Amino acid sequence: MNRNFTQSHLIFDHNLYFFSYKTWMRRCPDEYYHAHEGMEFLYIHEGEGRIILNDRLFLLKPRTLVYIQPYQVHLTRFESPRLRSVLKINLSLLYPYIRMYPSIESFVAYLEKSRAGEQVVQLSPEQDGEFTALLGSIDHTLSIVPALERKEQFLIYGTQFMSYLKTRLFDIRRLPGEDCKAQNRQSHHMEKIKAWIEQHYKEHYSLEKLSTDIHLSGSYLSNLFRSFAGVTITEYITRRRLDEACLLLAHTSISIDQAGKQSGFPNPAYFCRCFKKRYLLTPQQYRTAAAASKRYPESSGNAGSD
């Protein structure tokens, strides 16, 4: 079995990023429609199956790449064991690092929201070799760097990954110009909102302050955000605080109350209530499970992932 840093994680919904390289899935999880907060890329090395996206059925076979947008409902089914790689990332983590590359930023925004492109792509043998080599390089690097450097390395490779998709696998130059401009403008506003949240999510949230700081009306902000993200700004902030709490619980020894406060929950009881509602675990149970997964990484595999 290959070394895989993500085996120390629980499931993607608890984290900001996830990577699994050439992992055999020998049983099919219970089939149900579901969605993820982040963007998911699924690549099939061996095996066959099907996926339903946007009420369309697609066949999956070797050299098939699928990208699934944030909050996009989908269902996968496999008729046989499959060897697959999965990369998932919460785009709020990636966007601040790709702003210096405008073409890549626009490409990621297009992947995030547009329904115009094909989400299931069949790679050629040449592309398969290149893509598999890129995934293998990511896996090798993340398996040898210290734990504290993995996020940084993942973001570096995440940018490279998106650049490869843009230059080698996708072509968005044929998109209608005005639609693309409007989408880019809205995506720019969304990223301003997300950047503000990233700076202030540990503080008391005020729509009026957000509106004043980024010079857009509160009603426009609320409607735009819900349209893009599928959740309200308040719900998104709560999830971001919980993401931070998970990192603190898994990687520090501070108290449960302090983990909540440092994540933006001044009330310990409210923190525990929100945490259990989302994860079906108490913060202490989550910390215990995270510690166990580090001691026994092989037992915390990815059976629940697509």
Side-chain angles (χ1 to χ4, degrees):
M1 179 175 294
N2 63 295
R3 293 175 296 178
N4 191 323
F5 87 96
T6 57
Q7 293 199 6
S8 65
H9 288 266
L10 298 179
I11 61 175
F12 172 63
D13 288 341
H14 297 194
N15 301 282
L16 295 175
Y17 60 93
F18 177 100
F19 180 70
S20 175
Y21 176 65
K22 282 193 172 182
T23 303
W24 277 104
M25 301 293 290
R26 301 190 180 278
R27 67 179 182 85
C28 187
D30 294 337
E31 295 177 15
Y32 62 98
Y33 284 96
H34 62 288
H36 308 291
E37 290 183 31
M39 183 172 288
E40 173 181 355
F41 295 88
L42 168 67
Y43 189 62
I44 307 301
H45 300 278
E46 297 182 33
E48 296 182 348
R50 288 169 282 177
I51 186 169
I52 298 176
L53 285 170
N54 301 328
D55 297 322
R56 293 180 59 190
L57 176 66
F58 298 91
L59 298 181
L60 303 176
K61 56 185 179 180
R63 305 202 314 269
T64 300
L65 172 66
V66 184
Y67 79 85
I68 303 165
Q69 297 168 325
Y71 304 103
Q72 184 177 19
V73 177
H74 59 284
L75 180 148
T76 53
R77 172 185 295 172
F78 289 88
E79 286 75 27
S80 62
R82 69 274 192 194
L83 182 66
R84 55 82 165 126
S85 296
V86 178
L87 184 150
K88 306 181 185 181
I89 185 167
N90 190 316
L91 294 180
S92 66
L93 180 69
L94 182 63
Y95 271 123
Y97 290 85
I98 60 175
R99 289 203 178 102
M100 67 182 71
Y101 311 111
S103 63
I104 296 177
E105 183 181 16
S106 295
F107 173 71
V108 174
Y110 163 71
L111 292 184
E112 179 183 13
K113 192 64 180 177
S114 174
R115 292 290 195 266
E118 187 61 80
Q119 293 181 245
V120 180
V121 181
Q122 191 65 33
L123 273 60
S124 69
E126 178 186 5
Q127 290 171 328
D128 172 67
E130 294 176 346
F131 192 60
T132 301
L134 174 59
L135 295 175
S137 180
I138 298 173
D139 178 68
H140 176 69
T141 300
L142 295 177
S143 70
I144 62 174
V145 298
L148 292 176
E149 295 181 19
R150 287 173 184 160
K151 176 181 175 182
E152 176 182 317
Q153 291 296 325
F154 184 87
L155 289 168
I156 292 172
Y157 272 108
T159 303
Q160 183 180 352
F161 180 85
M162 293 300 183
S163 177
Y164 176 83
L165 295 184
K166 178 182 181 297
T167 58
R168 299 289 292 166
L169 299 186
F170 294 91
D171 184 0
I172 65 171
R173 290 173 295 177
R174 290 172 289 179
L175 288 178
E178 290 307 313
D179 290 347
C180 195
K181 288 180 182 178
Q183 183 122 20
N184 287 342
R185 184 168 56 252
Q186 291 180 338
S187 296
H188 177 67
H189 290 161
M190 272 295 294
E191 290 321 305
K192 287 177 66 176
I193 300 172
K194 288 182 179 179
W196 186 94
I197 291 173
E198 191 63 26
Q199 184 178 356
H200 298 282
Y201 72 89
K202 297 179 182 181
E203 307 167 6
H204 173 71
Y205 168 60
S206 165
L207 178 60
E208 182 179 358
K209 177 171 174 51
L210 169 60
S211 175
T212 300
D213 287 352
I214 64 176
H215 310 294
L216 293 169
S217 73
S219 59
Y220 174 79
L221 292 174
S222 297
N223 292 333
L224 176 68
F225 195 92
R226 190 177 188 106
S227 174
F228 262 70
V231 294
T232 66
I233 297 175
T234 300
E235 290 169 334
Y236 181 88
I237 290 174
T238 298
R239 292 180 180 184
R240 180 63 186 91
R241 289 170 176 170
L242 290 172
D243 287 336
E244 181 69 15
C246 283
L247 293 175
L248 293 173
L249 291 169
H251 299 293
T252 74
S253 60
I254 63 175
S255 69
I256 301 298
D257 287 358
Q258 281 301 312
K261 289 179 180 178
Q262 292 185 26
S263 302
F265 294 95
N267 185 309
Y270 180 66
F271 166 56
C272 291
R273 188 161 61 249
C274 289
F275 196 98
K276 189 168 185 179
K277 180 179 180 180
R278 184 181 183 192
Y279 300 125
L280 303 181
L281 296 170
T282 66
Q284 184 58 56
Q285 289 170 332
Y286 180 91
R287 169 171 275 174
T288 301
S293 72
K294 293 177 183 177
R295 290 195 299 271
Y296 308 106
E298 295 298 328
S299 66
S300 63
N302 306 313
S305 297
D306 290 337

